[in-house]
Amino acid sequence: FFLHGVCFFFLGEYANMILMSSLCTLLFLGGWLPILDIPIFQVIPGSIWFSIKVLFFLFVYIWVRAAFPRYRYNQLMKLGP
């Protein structure tokens, strides 16, 4: 099984996305706690809640990256004064 150096770059990029989604879940969405304090939500374990919230952040992260264009270097230079 042979991996090129570019593969490690993309793996690192996705590892960063997972890490940032986990940190955002911990800091802004309450971590492993349920969204609402409804008894039926209390049945679901905290690890499942955490995974659902991380997957939500990953979905939003990938959605934003796909929706907005990425500028080339010459286009970025035109944005400045």
Side-chain angles (χ1 to χ4, degrees), residues 17-81:
M17 289 171 56
I18 293 170
L19 176 69
M20 291 308 296
S21 298
S22 300
L23 284 175
C24 287
T25 298
L26 280 173
L27 294 175
F28 301 117
L29 290 184
W32 56 88
L33 299 175
I35 296 172
L36 298 172
D37 198 19
I38 298 175
I40 197 165
F41 285 166
Q42 300 293 334
V43 176
I44 302 171
S47 60
I48 302 296
W49 278 116
F50 187 79
S51 300
I52 289 171
K53 293 175 185 180
V54 166
L55 288 174
F56 170 74
F57 263 109
L58 278 173
F59 173 75
V60 171
Y61 202 110
I62 293 171
W63 187 20
V64 168
R65 283 188 61 192
F68 293 113
R70 289 178 221 144
Y71 288 108
R72 293 189 316 261
Y73 182 74
N74 62 345
Q75 293 171 331
L76 283 173
M77 296 307 290
K78 287 181 184 177
L79 291 176

